[in-house]
Amino acid sequence: MGLVSRHKDRIRQGSDHDEFIESLREGEAAFAYYRVQRPKGMRYILVAWAGKAASHIMQSKADVARPSLKGVVKDFTVEIKTSDLADLTPEKIQNKVLSVSN
């Protein structure tokens, strides 16, 4: 997974779900490219995050940037746009991938 924000020091890779969740901040908007291993191969998820404490301007800028990002990052199974960490549990992510893959 990778998290991209407006801060260059926040671009990172990792393989730990908890680390991914900790990197999402309530006062920021960010994008993440999340990888899930499935029996039929890897599946990728594009996460568009806008924390509940992020300003409306920051949320709007992320909404405007999202289509451009999707034009560059084309290989993903599902997109999750959320401001709630409860939407990003491993189980919910797996269920979204399963619902699209079947």
Side-chain angles (χ1 to χ4, degrees), residues 2 13 23 28 41 49 52 57 61 63 68 75 87 90 98-99:
Q13 287 184 301
S23 66
E28 291 187 352
W49 167 261
K52 293 176 183 175
I57 291 174
K61 286 180 178 182
D63 283 340
S68 297
D75 184 23
D87 294 336
L98 281 172
S99 68

Side-chain angles (χ1 to χ4, degrees), residues 23-95:
S23 66
L24 299 174
R25 305 230 170 99
E26 286 295 326
E28 291 187 352
F31 298 99
Y33 196 55
Y34 189 92
R35 182 179 62 202
V36 176
Q37 178 65 47
R38 300 291 310 145
K40 295 182 181 179
M42 294 290 193
R43 298 292 183 256
Y44 297 92
I45 295 93
L46 179 63
V47 178
W49 167 261
K52 293 176 183 175
S55 71
H56 292 294
I57 291 174
M58 189 178 292
Q59 292 175 16
S60 296
K61 286 180 178 182
D63 283 340
V64 169
R66 195 166 37 111
S68 297
L69 179 65
K70 287 168 58 175
V72 175
V73 179
K74 296 180 181 182
D75 184 23
F76 57 93
T77 304
V78 67
E79 177 185 359
I80 301 173
K81 181 181 178 205
T82 188
S83 62
D84 188 356
L85 292 175
D87 294 336
L88 298 174
T89 63
E91 296 79 21
K92 286 194 177 182
I93 291 172
Q94 290 280 2
N95 289 339

